[in-house]
Amino acid sequence: MNKSVLFGTLAFAGLAAAGASAATLDDVKARGTLNCGVTTGVPGFAEPDSDGVWQGFDVAVCRAVAAAVLGDSDAVTFVPTTGKTRFTSLASGEIDMLARNTTWTFSRDTDLKFDFTGVNYYDGQGFMVPTDLGVASATELDGATVCIQTGTTTELNLADYFRINGMSYEPVPIETGAEAVQQFLAGACDVYTTDRSALAAQRAGFENPDNYMLLPEVVSKEPLGPLVRHGDSEWFDIVKWTLYALIAAEEYGVTQANVEELASAPGDNPEVNRLLGTEGELGAMMGVSNSWAKDAIAAVGNFGEIFDTTIGESTAIGLARGLNAQYTDGGLMYAPPFR
Amino acid sequence: MSEVHAHTVAFVRTSEIPASPPPVAEAGAVKWIKDNLISGPFNTIMTILGILVVAYLLAGLIPWIANGTWTGADIRECREILQGSGGGCFAVIAERWPQLLFGFQYPDYLRWRPTLAFVLLFLAVPPALFVMFLPRWTLIVTAIYPFVAYWLIWGGTILSPIVAAVGFLVGYLVFTKVEKRGFVQGLAAGIVAAVAVWWIGGVIAEEFSRVGALEVVESRALGGFMLNLILGVVCVSLSIPLGIVLALGRQSKLPIVKGFCVVFIEFVRGVPLITLLFVANVVLAYFFPPNSNPDLIIRVIIMITMFSSAYIAEVIRGGLAALPKGQYEAGDSLGLDYPQSMRLIILPQALKISIPGIVNVAVGLFKDTTLVSVISMFDLVGMIRGPILSSTDWTGVYWELWAAACVLFFIVCYGISQYSQWLERQLRTDHR
């Protein structure tokens, strides 16, 4: 019925596709919603609750960007993507940004033509064992049988780690995470290895989580962060600095509860004033409103609050801050100055 | 003779002996057991083994169902309630039931609309399925149904489905007028008329987009078992006519038509369905500008319909090949042209032969709709694998959810297969 429209769009398909890479900000503002790619579900990171509302650590990044750009943290269309479809969705312009547990690697940044806007979770490969195995460190795992997902980087990391430490192991290759858990619980292997956040999330679903423990060793670097397309630096800046605003807010003690009060009048800390727009014109430099950071923090809280409510130690997933603490607490979270 | 005997024999019985019951071992349940279960040492052993297997399964299954709990807000509460009694945590089904049926994005206050569409399906389908028992006019209900269902599920102005329906109607009327001059001319005129109506009506519908408007629900919001049913029903009903056309085309004497049909069928059959779905989801997105992609669900429907119509075409070709040559010659000798002889003589017989094959494809296709979960659509399987199993509340509940999915699919597939067997009995005209 919309034949004329369809033919018109077909004819201009090439032109428009070429133009899609530029001015994502204008597209988002015109559309009124942010198209944000998320997972089809990872406990704590992105999961729809029983009312169908998306919740989670990665989801909060999407909501913060929507709040910063549009002033409304609910103006997000969540586009669930699988590991296979995520990059094409972003490259084709179906989504404006991807916040989906994606590891920042060289080839994804350069060859696939994406820009990682930072790291919101430093993950790494770890090991889970039953407590009655009596092992306290991964260096004592010589000769163990290991459940491992085939075709992943974790398989290669495992081989490297055992070779470096001069140990041998017996791999039990497995296709999916759920299957791996079943095998591990059934005792088919002594050790189960994958990313530590996934281990913790899966352990939370065990019948007796206390009978299993995560070993302290981390054998690979898995920095997870949001990413955007190459070639639109303005949009890249907005997503990057929204993430930094959340991190900086924690550092300066700006919380969801006190952000309104702090933003109502300039305070003692000029950095906070600039962040919240009571001093300077930082928002205008990026092409968003001056209250962008205030809106984002008011919507989802600062980085520490997001962490605590979605995947932190008080939740069922129970991840410790570790590397994801502020640099002042010995972690790697470090926002450049707001100036 | 009898008189002679009456005097020469001491006793003659004049009434019939009442029938005595057969020996216990030769009738009823005992005989059945003797013949079927313990008719020899080997069969006796097999019977005992079979009983043991069934008992073992029931011993696990019955406590799982009977001790199961339907309350509890998450898996940890479930485990507290169960206290290791071996029961199932059916609370996940109780809590997420609407999500299993409708997906997690369909607005909950609008769920009555797809429910109503589903109920109406039972009004719309019988005229087509039980065509020999119901008056022919009831087929009108079937014809109207797709448009009503579209309006109910997706919402929007009622003018769009009305225009679509009017287009089909006008096309059909023009076809019947022009058909006397030839089938092909009639078809072409009908298509031209329908397209004209759609084009004009489309402008009008856009102009008055508030008339009879229901709240619009985007395709992306569809999910759960509803999505499986929509894909299954739409693709099966579209692919049967397409399959017939392709099968006839493959037998055509016109080289271009034949060549096209052969290439299409062989290409589609040579490619896995999941590849076509990836093409629908990923590759097509590159060819359209952002924001103007044709709906993902339409892309998927096109791909699945293409796939199943190729299979159905081959099934029907089998039916056509099974007809004796005399049937074709009979049509020719009666002076019927090609469309007439096909419609009146060949296809009714060929389709009857093809019923088991078509139903086989239909059942397989219905189950294949779960493959869309791979391209991040949330059908029943996608809902379970994605949002439900990976939620903090329910990660670790496998058996209960997959059992629920099995039950839902079994009900539908068993229903289809029972119908097809009934239909075969109804259409049986030989004297076996």
Side-chain angles (χ1 to χ4, degrees):
Chain A
M1 272 163 282
N2 287 323
K3 283 243 156 32
S4 51
V5 179
L6 182 65
F7 286 137
T9 49
L10 272 176
F12 288 101
L15 280 175
S21 58
T24 310
L25 177 61
D26 296 338
D27 289 348
V28 172
K29 279 183 173 167
R31 199 189 304 129
T33 62
L34 172 75
N35 289 340
C36 192
V38 291
T39 68
T40 52
V42 168
F45 285 85
E47 48 171 297
D49 62 17
S50 56
D51 297 324
V53 181
W54 284 92
Q55 311 283 358
F57 189 68
D58 283 335
V59 168
V61 176
C62 297
R63 293 197 186 279
V65 172
V69 174
L70 302 165
D72 179 4
S73 66
D74 290 327
V76 188
T77 307
F78 289 101
V79 181
T81 57
T82 64
K84 299 179 185 71
T85 62
R86 56 182 165 181
F87 294 128
T88 38
S89 290
L90 182 58
S92 68
E94 189 189 348
I95 54 179
D96 305 314
M97 61 178 282
L98 180 68
R100 190 202 177 279
N101 286 64
T102 305
T103 307
W104 187 350
T105 67
F106 181 90
S107 60
R108 284 172 183 173
D109 205 333
T110 57
D111 193 32
L112 290 181
K113 304 246 181 295
F114 296 125
D115 280 327
F116 283 80
T117 63
V119 177
N120 67 341
Y121 190 86
Y122 286 96
D123 211 339
Q125 188 176 341
F127 299 97
M128 180 159 55
V129 294
T131 36
D132 51 14
L133 194 66
V135 172
S137 157
T139 54
E140 301 168 27
L141 288 176
D142 195 13
T145 51
V146 184
C147 279
I148 181 131
Q149 287 180 50
T150 51
T152 60
T153 51
T154 54
E155 201 177 11
L156 308 172
N157 296 335
L158 179 76
D160 288 352
Y161 182 77
F162 274 73
R163 205 184 59 205
I164 291 167
N165 288 289
M167 300 188 295
S168 66
Y169 69 100
E170 187 76 34
V172 181
I174 277 159
E175 198 61 43
T176 68
E179 196 190 333
V181 169
Q182 296 277 340
Q183 294 284 342
F184 177 62
L185 290 177
C189 48
D190 303 324
V191 189
Y192 171 37
T193 179
T194 184
D195 288 352
R196 282 173 66 87
S197 63
L199 285 179
Q202 283 164 342
R203 179 171 167 269
F206 288 1
E207 192 150 3
N208 300 305
D210 296 335
N211 293 356
Y212 300 90
M213 60 183 278
L214 264 60
L215 297 178
E217 280 81 3
V218 180
V219 300
S220 74
K221 288 186 286 188
E222 310 281 347
L224 310 178
L227 55 156
V228 298
R229 278 183 298 278
H230 250 330
D232 186 354
S233 300
E234 285 75 21
W235 179 246
F236 172 61
D237 285 344
I238 290 170
V239 178
K240 177 171 61 179
W241 283 96
T242 305
L243 178 59
Y244 282 142
L246 300 178
I247 295 170
E250 189 192 10
E251 185 186 346
Y252 301 131
V254 181
T255 65
Q256 195 169 15
N258 69 13
V259 64
E260 291 293 343
E261 186 194 330
L262 289 172
S264 57
D268 304 332
N269 188 339
E271 186 96 355
V272 172
N273 294 344
R274 285 191 294 270
L275 175 68
L276 298 181
T278 53
E279 203 178 302
E281 293 286 329
L282 294 193
M285 293 180 197
M286 291 202 301
V288 296
S289 83
N290 228 19
S291 65
W292 63 282
K294 189 211 83 179
D295 293 338
I297 298 163
V300 297
N302 68 34
F303 184 80
E305 291 177 300
I306 298 170
F307 195 100
D308 290 342
T309 52
T310 55
I311 53 177
E313 283 178 320
S314 62
T315 65
I317 295 173
L319 290 170
R321 285 296 287 269
L323 286 177
N324 298 294
Q326 292 285 332
Y327 72 102
T328 49
D329 300 332
L332 291 175
M333 286 299 157
Y334 182 99
F338 281 77
R339 180 173 289 282
Chain B
M1 287 288 279
S2 60
E3 282 168 32
V4 175
H5 278 281
H7 295 287
T8 55
V9 179
F11 172 74
V12 174
R13 187 170 183 99
T14 52
S15 63
E16 196 183 339
I17 304 173
S20 52
V24 176
E26 290 301 324
V30 176
K31 178 178 164 57
W32 186 87
I33 289 173
K34 211 177 90 184
D35 284 358
N36 292 291
L37 298 181
I38 47 173
S39 62
F42 179 73
N43 281 359
T44 312
I45 293 171
M46 292 308 284
T47 303
I48 293 170
L49 284 179
I51 291 173
L52 285 179
V53 169
V54 171
Y56 175 76
L57 289 178
L58 286 181
L61 192 64
I62 291 176
W64 184 65
I65 294 173
N67 294 345
T69 174
W70 290 85
T71 54
D74 59 33
I75 187 171
R76 285 163 284 279
E77 271 186 36
C78 239
R79 282 173 179 154
E80 261 172 43
I81 295 170
L82 291 172
Q83 296 290 354
S85 65
C89 177
F90 300 108
V92 62
I93 298 169
E95 200 209 2
R96 298 288 174 123
W97 180 247
Q99 288 195 356
L100 287 175
L101 288 189
F102 299 102
F104 68 97
Q105 285 156 309
Y106 206 92
D108 47 1
Y109 56 93
L110 296 179
R111 281 180 188 144
W112 62 271
R113 280 169 26 188
T115 313
L116 180 62
F118 181 66
V119 173
L120 289 179
L121 183 67
F122 290 96
L123 279 183
V125 164
L129 294 189
F130 305 103
V131 77
M132 55 289 278
F133 294 123
L134 294 166
R136 282 196 81 98
W137 63 263
T138 52
L139 278 172
I140 294 173
V141 180
T142 312
I144 292 173
Y145 177 75
F147 306 102
V148 175
Y150 172 85
W151 183 57
L152 280 174
I153 294 173
W154 274 271
T157 170
I158 197 173
L159 288 180
S160 303
I162 288 179
V163 166
V166 169
F168 279 112
L169 189 66
V170 170
Y172 177 73
L173 290 177
V174 171
F175 166 75
T176 48
K177 287 267 181 221
V178 186
E179 194 200 359
K180 288 168 203 127
R181 275 190 250 157
F183 184 81
V184 177
Q185 284 101 312
L187 197 63
I191 291 173
V192 168
V195 170
V197 170
W198 287 330
W199 189 70
I200 297 166
V203 176
I204 296 172
E206 249 174 63
E207 207 54 39
F208 300 95
S209 58
R210 295 232 189 95
V211 179
L214 289 177
E215 186 175 331
V216 176
V217 179
E218 285 189 36
S219 296
R220 188 176 295 168
L222 303 183
F225 198 54
M226 170 176 76
L227 184 61
N228 293 111
L229 279 175
I230 292 174
L231 290 176
V233 170
V234 171
C235 295
V236 167
S237 39
L238 287 180
S239 62
I240 289 176
L242 259 179
I244 294 173
V245 171
L246 283 171
L248 292 176
R250 192 167 186 168
Q251 296 215 319
S252 168
K253 294 189 185 78
L254 307 171
I256 294 178
V257 173
K258 181 175 179 160
F260 173 81
C261 291
V262 169
V263 169
F264 180 89
I265 291 173
E266 292 304 329
F267 172 75
V268 173
R269 283 206 312 162
V271 178
L273 176 57
I274 200 149
T275 316
L276 293 176
L277 290 177
F278 271 121
V279 169
N281 180 36
V282 175
V283 182
L284 287 183
Y286 277 112
F287 292 100
F288 292 97
N291 308 328
S292 65
N293 277 350
D295 227 86
L296 179 59
I297 216 167
I298 292 178
R299 288 183 265 162
V300 166
I301 285 176
I302 292 172
M303 288 298 177
I304 299 182
T305 305
M306 266 171 58
F307 186 79
S308 60
S309 62
Y311 277 85
I312 288 182
E314 286 299 279
V315 170
I316 293 175
R317 190 169 68 97
L320 291 171
L323 287 190
K325 205 179 169 201
Q327 295 295 324
Y328 293 86
E329 290 166 351
D332 291 342
S333 65
L334 284 171
L336 301 178
D337 62 6
Y338 177 78
Q340 284 170 329
S341 72
M342 284 299 142
R343 263 186 306 164
L344 301 175
I345 295 184
I346 304 300
L347 280 181
Q349 303 181 66
L351 289 179
K352 193 180 83 183
I353 301 173
S354 321
I355 287 174
I358 292 176
V359 171
N360 202 15
V361 173
V363 170
L365 170 79
F366 180 63
K367 291 184 291 187
D368 280 352
T369 57
T370 55
L371 283 177
V372 298
S373 64
V374 179
I375 53 168
S376 56
M377 288 174 86
F378 292 101
D379 73 313
L380 182 58
V381 169
M383 276 309 297
I384 293 176
R385 290 204 327 176
I388 298 181
L389 269 187
S390 61
S391 68
T392 320
D393 289 348
W394 297 115
T395 177
V397 189
Y398 300 100
W399 291 93
E400 293 81 357
L401 287 166
W402 293 118
C406 288
V407 168
L408 284 174
F409 272 101
F410 178 79
I411 291 171
V412 175
C413 293
Y414 186 70
I416 298 174
S417 120
Q418 285 300 306
Y419 167 72
S420 84
Q421 290 178 17
W422 174 86
L423 187 63
E424 275 173 57
R425 284 195 299 274
Q426 289 300 312
L427 296 179
R428 184 184 290 164
T429 49
D430 54 5
H431 305 282
R432 244 176 269 156

